[in-house]
Amino acid sequence: QVHVVESGGGLVQPGGSLRLSCAASGIFFRVTDMGWYRQAPGKQRELVADITSGGMTNYADSVKGRFTISRDNAKNSVYLQMNSLKSEDTAVYYCNLSYFRVPYWGQGTQVTVSS
């Protein structure tokens, strides 16, 4: 059974940093591409960043230069380091993977950027 669990969200002031973590189980992690998405109130869910099994990364234009996605295959985990946070980064952040063409999502973690 596949499980995806995010952690690390919270309240942070503009300009601050947060690191999100996502732990996956029930999969052969090292061959699985992973991604972070977010959904703000009243908006559609959007891709923030993803990382292939080989370590290639891709970012939304809105977060390039501020966010970094990484993975640790030994820990079956993927991370999202978020720096220089802005109010518009406020959203629920979701970890995503596709395993045998079936998408799996975590429960999400709230990130609120506010003074």
Side-chain angles (χ1 to χ4, degrees), residues 1 5 12 19 23 29 40 55 60 71 77-79 81 95 102 108 114-115:
Q1 193 170 4
V5 180
V12 63
R19 187 188 192 219
F29 185 84
R71 63 190 295 153
S77 293
V78 63
Y79 308 98
Q81 178 66 44
C95 184
V102 176
S114 175
S115 55

Short mmCIF file of all heavy atoms in Angstrom, two decimals, residues 1 5 12 19 23 29 40 55 60 71 77-79 81 95 102 108 114-115:
data_model
loop_
_atom_site.label_atom_id
_atom_site.label_comp_id
_atom_site.label_asym_id
_atom_site.label_seq_id
_atom_site.Cartn_x
_atom_site.Cartn_y
_atom_site.Cartn_z
N GLN A 1 0.85 -1.19 0.00
CA GLN A 1 0.00 0.00 0.00
C GLN A 1 0.89 1.24 0.00
O GLN A 1 1.84 1.33 0.75
CB GLN A 1 -0.89 0.01 1.24
CG GLN A 1 -2.02 1.03 1.17
CD GLN A 1 -3.02 0.85 2.29
OE1 GLN A 1 -2.85 0.01 3.17
NE2 GLN A 1 -4.07 1.64 2.26
N VAL A 5 3.26 11.18 2.97
CA VAL A 5 3.01 12.04 4.13
C VAL A 5 3.90 13.26 4.08
O VAL A 5 5.13 13.14 4.05
CB VAL A 5 3.26 11.26 5.44
CG1 VAL A 5 3.00 12.18 6.64
CG2 VAL A 5 2.38 10.02 5.51
N VAL A 12 5.01 31.75 8.54
CA VAL A 12 6.31 32.40 8.41
C VAL A 12 6.11 33.81 7.88
O VAL A 12 5.15 34.08 7.14
CB VAL A 12 7.24 31.57 7.48
CG1 VAL A 12 6.68 31.49 6.07
CG2 VAL A 12 8.65 32.11 7.48
N ARG A 19 11.16 24.51 5.23
CA ARG A 19 11.54 23.30 4.52
C ARG A 19 10.44 22.26 4.69
O ARG A 19 10.14 21.85 5.81
CB ARG A 19 12.85 22.74 5.06
CG ARG A 19 13.42 21.57 4.26
CD ARG A 19 14.59 20.96 4.96
NE ARG A 19 15.34 20.03 4.13
CZ ARG A 19 15.85 18.88 4.58
NH1 ARG A 19 15.68 18.54 5.84
NH2 ARG A 19 16.53 18.10 3.76
N ALA A 23 7.57 11.97 2.94
CA ALA A 23 8.03 10.60 3.06
C ALA A 23 7.05 9.67 2.35
O ALA A 23 5.84 9.76 2.56
CB ALA A 23 8.14 10.22 4.53
N PHE A 29 11.16 3.63 -4.31
CA PHE A 29 11.31 5.08 -4.33
C PHE A 29 12.34 5.56 -5.33
O PHE A 29 12.11 6.54 -6.04
CB PHE A 29 11.67 5.58 -2.92
CG PHE A 29 11.73 7.08 -2.82
CD1 PHE A 29 10.58 7.82 -2.60
CD2 PHE A 29 12.94 7.75 -2.94
CE1 PHE A 29 10.63 9.21 -2.51
CE2 PHE A 29 13.00 9.13 -2.85
CZ PHE A 29 11.84 9.87 -2.63
N ALA A 40 -3.84 27.33 -3.59
CA ALA A 40 -4.26 28.48 -2.80
C ALA A 40 -5.78 28.56 -2.82
O ALA A 40 -6.43 28.04 -3.74
CB ALA A 40 -3.64 29.75 -3.37
N GLY A 55 17.30 12.71 -10.74
CA GLY A 55 17.71 13.95 -10.09
C GLY A 55 17.51 15.22 -10.90
O GLY A 55 17.89 16.30 -10.45
N ALA A 60 8.31 25.82 -11.32
CA ALA A 60 7.41 26.85 -11.83
C ALA A 60 8.17 28.17 -11.88
O ALA A 60 9.04 28.43 -11.03
CB ALA A 60 6.20 26.99 -10.91
N ARG A 71 15.99 15.19 -3.14
CA ARG A 71 15.50 13.89 -2.70
C ARG A 71 16.62 13.13 -2.00
O ARG A 71 17.81 13.33 -2.30
CB ARG A 71 14.96 13.08 -3.87
CG ARG A 71 15.97 12.72 -4.95
CD ARG A 71 15.27 12.12 -6.18
NE ARG A 71 14.63 10.84 -5.86
CZ ARG A 71 13.57 10.38 -6.53
NH1 ARG A 71 13.04 11.07 -7.53
NH2 ARG A 71 13.06 9.19 -6.19
N SER A 77 12.53 9.95 0.75
CA SER A 77 11.98 11.28 1.03
C SER A 77 12.35 12.29 -0.04
O SER A 77 13.41 12.19 -0.68
CB SER A 77 12.48 11.78 2.39
OG SER A 77 11.97 11.00 3.44
N VAL A 78 11.48 13.27 -0.19
CA VAL A 78 11.74 14.41 -1.06
C VAL A 78 11.48 15.67 -0.24
O VAL A 78 10.64 15.67 0.67
CB VAL A 78 10.84 14.35 -2.32
CG1 VAL A 78 9.37 14.44 -1.97
CG2 VAL A 78 11.24 15.43 -3.31
N TYR A 79 12.24 16.71 -0.54
CA TYR A 79 12.18 17.94 0.24
C TYR A 79 11.93 19.15 -0.66
O TYR A 79 12.25 19.13 -1.85
CB TYR A 79 13.49 18.13 1.00
CG TYR A 79 13.89 16.92 1.81
CD1 TYR A 79 14.81 16.01 1.30
CD2 TYR A 79 13.32 16.68 3.06
CE1 TYR A 79 15.17 14.89 2.03
CE2 TYR A 79 13.67 15.56 3.79
CZ TYR A 79 14.60 14.66 3.27
OH TYR A 79 14.94 13.55 4.00
N GLN A 81 12.89 23.10 -0.15
CA GLN A 81 13.44 24.22 0.60
C GLN A 81 12.88 25.50 -0.01
O GLN A 81 13.09 25.76 -1.20
CB GLN A 81 14.97 24.22 0.54
CG GLN A 81 15.61 25.40 1.25
CD GLN A 81 15.38 25.37 2.74
OE1 GLN A 81 15.50 24.33 3.38
NE2 GLN A 81 15.06 26.52 3.31
N CYS A 95 2.48 16.73 -1.77
CA CYS A 95 3.48 15.88 -2.40
C CYS A 95 2.76 14.91 -3.33
O CYS A 95 1.67 14.40 -3.00
CB CYS A 95 4.24 15.12 -1.32
SG CYS A 95 5.58 14.09 -1.91
N VAL A 102 -0.48 5.29 -11.56
CA VAL A 102 -1.52 5.69 -10.61
C VAL A 102 -1.00 6.85 -9.78
O VAL A 102 0.06 6.73 -9.16
CB VAL A 102 -1.91 4.52 -9.69
CG1 VAL A 102 -2.94 4.99 -8.66
CG2 VAL A 102 -2.45 3.36 -10.50
N GLY A 108 -1.46 16.96 2.43
CA GLY A 108 -1.16 18.38 2.31
C GLY A 108 -0.68 18.99 3.61
O GLY A 108 -0.99 18.51 4.71
N SER A 114 2.80 35.48 6.18
CA SER A 114 2.09 36.67 6.63
C SER A 114 2.87 37.35 7.74
O SER A 114 3.55 36.70 8.54
CB SER A 114 0.70 36.29 7.16
OG SER A 114 0.04 37.42 7.70
N SER A 115 2.75 38.67 7.78
CA SER A 115 3.39 39.42 8.87
C SER A 115 2.41 39.63 10.00
O SER A 115 2.77 40.23 11.02
CB SER A 115 3.91 40.76 8.34
OG SER A 115 2.86 41.49 7.73
#
